[in-house]
Amino acid sequence: MIKTATRLSASLLLLSIACNEAFLQQPSPSSSRPSPSSSARFATSEENQRALLEARLALDKKAKEQQSITINGAGALSKDDPYSFVVGVLGDLHIDPRKMDDYEVGRSHFLSIFDDAKANVGDNNVALVSLGDLGESKNCEHNNDNPFELFAGTTKCHQMAAEYLSSFGVPYDVIGGNHDLEGIDEFETDAKNLRRFLKCHNKETPHFCRQIAEKTLLVGLCSTVFRDATYTSHEVIIDQEQIKWFEELVASKPAEEGWRIFVFSHAPPNGSGIRIIQENHVVNGCCWLNHSDEKSCRKFIELVREHRCIKGWFSGHFHLGQDYQDSITFPTIDPSEGPYPNRGSCVFAQTSVMRAGTSRDGRQQSRLLRGTKDGFEICTVDHQKGGKIRVDATITYRSQTNEVGVYAHEDEAYDHDNYFKVYQPQMNDHGYVCAEDEELCLLTPDPITVETVAWWRLSCGRVLGVVNGMMLEFDKSTLAPLGLVVSGDELLGRQVAIVDSGLQECMINFEDDGMDGADCADGSEEIHREQAVLVFDDDGVTIVQPNEDGSYWRKIVRNKIARMKEKRREKAAIDFAQAYLPVRSEDEAKEKICSTWGPCEFSHILCHLLFFLQ
């Protein structure tokens, strides 16, 4: 059960700047000022912050009084409509106990929104959902016994986040992101860290399901793997038990019977089509749910396509604002923009962040979801504009399995925000250059530049492309980017050719164990030609070999636990070098340090590069 929500005092949150244990206690009059033992410096700092915060809240209140919160499109919210509901959606919080002002201001915006909502639809039809990544992934001076401990994933982090989320005056649900099991110094295993996460937030299971209105469910899927990740620890991984539960749930709530399901996960599913960051999440293989597992990565969009009860899917993870039109994608698009995207009946929505220091593009925004019997609206709560509510999209139900979505405004992003836009192929668009049946295909007549855009589908069905000076692999079904194949320093100024490399081969099913050696002797398997991907210039030819599973994108980002332990060993080696070697500074000591990872003849070349990258 979710405990009755209480509002934290502003002073209590300000006290947390000093990482005082008071944030673990209930608000009381005695907590409104620092204790007599607090230093004069801290008292002065608190008074200054208090004055600034009160001035900001006063301006926000004035702005709130001047704005209209009339609901457009989805009909009037009413207690007489059993389908009416209001849900606030918070993106990555990344709470830093030293920097709480933005969180208090953001909460003040939602308190007035929720008060109005409860008056309109009733207390039981209003809720809050947090999309995870609750704590800052750095040391926040929160543990005097361990100055290197990350705040994210610790008991203090989850206790503080739980108290904050409980202070909005409505029930809350939360799912874990890629940082919420990062308490690696406090917990030995993911399982122990997950149990503490669940306990702090009064959760029985990692996932959640809340009925918010008549035949309307809020469903959350939680990342449960960090230490045990095969590749990058920042991949958002939904375990198979949750996937099975989710599949059974949506199958039991058919759209034909009037069910409407809104899903919440930290990262979006492959095929959602929303704006992503190529230079970070795509290259590192942590963009989509279960990104590194091809089969389960595609599972979520397949469920969306099959079960039209799934009406909306909210995610965070990218720290990007909501002013881009493609922060929301509809199930259908204008035929002039490309082929039918096959997103079932689902609208996907990216959610921004509340604190300024966590935003990639300067925006501080949250989402508001408002629904009625006739449809729903997805809105922005702008924390830089006094909590102003802006309707971003209106979705109207035409039937139980079909709806029409309309953007409420043009793209409000600035020109420089195109930096975050990632090209996604579309069948027969201007970038498609090689047909599957060509024996030899020269990708470009000229050497590749950062402006080159081209893609092709191999005979085996895999899709590769060149964009922003890099070669990427794209999902063969959704054409969503999967990961880096060849980096810019290896590709720019060269050309790419696809050539036949052997006799016709049988289509090997790499997803089934024991099939990687099949020779298709009975001739029942699909036939495709063996091909080679070549990168070349006058100085030579580089063969781009596929991975053992048949994919091409390089799963090169290693588990964070291993990397962090290596960094600590390297720090110990630097300290040792300064004490026992003839070096005059830490920088000089770093130049003397090198790591080895076993019998690799070029490990001495890689060591300084890997140390720099980490």
Side-chain angles (χ1 to χ4, degrees), residues 108-341:
S108 72
H109 298 155
F110 271 107
L111 289 177
S112 60
I113 292 171
F114 288 153
D115 285 344
D116 292 340
K118 287 185 284 187
N120 288 325
V121 303
D123 292 359
N124 294 331
N125 292 37
V126 184
L128 177 71
V129 175
S130 170
L131 297 174
D133 272 11
L134 301 176
E136 184 68 293
S137 182
K138 62 177 65 172
N139 181 268
C140 296
E141 302 173 8
H142 60 283
N143 185 353
N144 293 331
D145 295 331
N146 185 354
F148 301 105
E149 182 183 63
L150 305 179
F151 184 62
T154 62
T155 297
K156 286 186 177 181
C157 170
H158 288 307
Q159 287 175 328
M160 190 171 189
E163 189 168 4
Y164 176 70
L165 293 171
S166 296
S167 69
F168 282 70
V170 297
Y172 84 88
D173 292 292
V174 61
I175 42 92
N178 52 291
H179 287 288
D180 291 313
L181 301 183
E182 204 168 6
I184 56 179
D185 288 320
E186 184 177 355
F187 304 101
E188 295 179 355
T189 65
D190 286 341
K192 291 180 179 179
N193 210 158
L194 180 62
R195 284 197 293 271
R196 184 57 54 87
F197 167 79
L198 297 177
K199 181 178 180 180
C200 289
H201 296 283
N202 294 319
K203 290 172 62 70
E204 294 182 1
T205 61
H207 53 269
F208 71 80
C209 180
R210 175 186 296 274
Q211 182 158 347
I212 191 67
E214 181 73 19
K215 289 195 171 183
T216 305
L217 301 180
L218 308 181
V219 173
L221 299 172
C222 179
S223 186
T224 56
V225 178
F226 185 82
R227 296 157 186 78
D228 299 332
T230 303
Y231 301 105
T232 173
S233 298
H234 295 302
E235 181 180 357
V236 180
I237 300 175
I238 311 301
D239 58 76
Q240 292 303 311
E241 184 177 349
Q242 286 188 83
I243 294 176
K244 182 175 183 294
W245 169 84
F246 180 58
E247 185 171 10
E248 292 174 350
L249 175 69
V250 295
S252 69
K253 309 295 182 185
E256 291 76 10
E257 295 181 7
W259 286 97
R260 306 158 181 189
I261 295 178
F262 295 88
V263 185
F264 303 84
S265 63
H266 184 68
N270 174 349
S272 60
I274 61 175
R275 180 174 292 246
I276 56 177
I277 303 176
Q278 175 174 299
E279 290 79 2
N280 190 339
H281 298 99
V282 175
V283 170
N284 292 331
C286 57
C287 185
W288 316 116
L289 294 176
N290 295 23
H291 192 131
S292 67
D293 185 326
E294 184 173 350
K295 186 175 181 179
S296 64
C297 181
R298 199 178 297 125
K299 180 67 174 179
F300 302 100
I301 195 65
E302 290 173 348
L303 291 174
V304 166
R305 292 168 175 173
E306 181 180 357
H307 301 284
R308 301 183 77 89
C309 58
I310 304 175
K311 300 301 183 184
W313 196 307
F314 290 78
S315 59
H317 192 43
F318 301 137
H319 298 220
L320 293 177
Q322 299 163 188
D323 294 341
Y324 317 96
Q325 233 180 40
D326 59 356
S327 68
I328 296 176
T329 58
F330 293 140
T332 59
I333 61 176
D334 190 301
S336 64
E337 298 178 14
Y340 179 65

Side-chain angles (χ1 to χ4, degrees), residues 94-107:
H94 287 291
I95 290 174
D96 185 331
R98 303 164 299 180
K99 304 171 183 178
M100 293 302 297
D101 284 6
D102 283 345
Y103 301 108
E104 184 172 354
V105 170
R107 185 189 57 208

Side-chain angles (χ1 to χ4, degrees), residues 215-476:
K215 289 195 171 183
T216 305
L217 301 180
L218 308 181
V219 173
L221 299 172
C222 179
S223 186
T224 56
V225 178
F226 185 82
R227 296 157 186 78
D228 299 332
T230 303
Y231 301 105
T232 173
S233 298
H234 295 302
E235 181 180 357
V236 180
I237 300 175
I238 311 301
D239 58 76
Q240 292 303 311
E241 184 177 349
Q242 286 188 83
I243 294 176
K244 182 175 183 294
W245 169 84
F246 180 58
E247 185 171 10
E248 292 174 350
L249 175 69
V250 295
S252 69
K253 309 295 182 185
E256 291 76 10
E257 295 181 7
W259 286 97
R260 306 158 181 189
I261 295 178
F262 295 88
V263 185
F264 303 84
S265 63
H266 184 68
N270 174 349
S272 60
I274 61 175
R275 180 174 292 246
I276 56 177
I277 303 176
Q278 175 174 299
E279 290 79 2
N280 190 339
H281 298 99
V282 175
V283 170
N284 292 331
C286 57
C287 185
W288 316 116
L289 294 176
N290 295 23
H291 192 131
S292 67
D293 185 326
E294 184 173 350
K295 186 175 181 179
S296 64
C297 181
R298 199 178 297 125
K299 180 67 174 179
F300 302 100
I301 195 65
E302 290 173 348
L303 291 174
V304 166
R305 292 168 175 173
E306 181 180 357
H307 301 284
R308 301 183 77 89
C309 58
I310 304 175
K311 300 301 183 184
W313 196 307
F314 290 78
S315 59
H317 192 43
F318 301 137
H319 298 220
L320 293 177
Q322 299 163 188
D323 294 341
Y324 317 96
Q325 233 180 40
D326 59 356
S327 68
I328 296 176
T329 58
F330 293 140
T332 59
I333 61 176
D334 190 301
S336 64
E337 298 178 14
Y340 179 65
N342 199 5
R343 301 186 190 117
S345 288
C346 186
V347 179
F348 293 91
Q350 160 73 18
T351 307
S352 185
V353 297
M354 185 177 287
R355 179 162 67 86
T358 63
S359 175
R360 294 184 188 276
D361 55 11
R363 292 162 176 80
Q364 296 170 254
Q365 300 164 326
S366 299
R367 287 290 186 195
L368 187 66
L369 171 62
R370 306 188 289 203
T372 69
K373 62 180 177 59
D374 299 316
F376 60 95
E377 290 177 337
I378 298 175
C379 310
T380 285
V381 179
D382 197 324
H383 301 301
Q384 294 177 328
K385 298 180 180 179
K388 180 180 179 180
I389 298 174
R390 181 190 69 204
V391 178
D392 294 328
T394 300
I395 294 85
T396 303
Y397 299 131
R398 294 303 189 201
S399 69
Q400 293 173 334
T401 59
N402 291 280
E403 52 281 310
V404 175
V406 178
Y407 289 114
H409 57 81
E410 296 296 324
D411 196 317
E412 296 189 6
Y414 303 116
D415 291 340
H416 68 262
D417 291 325
N418 288 329
Y419 171 77
F420 296 107
K421 180 73 173 178
V422 177
Y423 167 77
Q424 181 167 322
Q426 296 178 355
M427 283 303 301
N428 300 317
D429 69 6
H430 68 282
Y432 187 63
V433 296
C434 292
E436 297 173 46
D437 58 354
E438 292 186 45
E439 294 183 6
L440 169 63
C441 175
L442 290 179
L443 180 64
T444 55
D446 301 307
I448 291 170
T449 70
V450 292
E451 285 79 30
T452 301
V453 175
W455 69 280
W456 62 97
R457 189 184 295 273
L458 297 173
S459 176
C460 63
R462 300 276 176 182
V463 177
L464 303 180
V466 172
V467 61
N468 293 339
M470 295 180 282
M471 184 186 295
L472 303 179
E473 181 172 1
F474 298 86
D475 184 88
K476 58 187 177 184

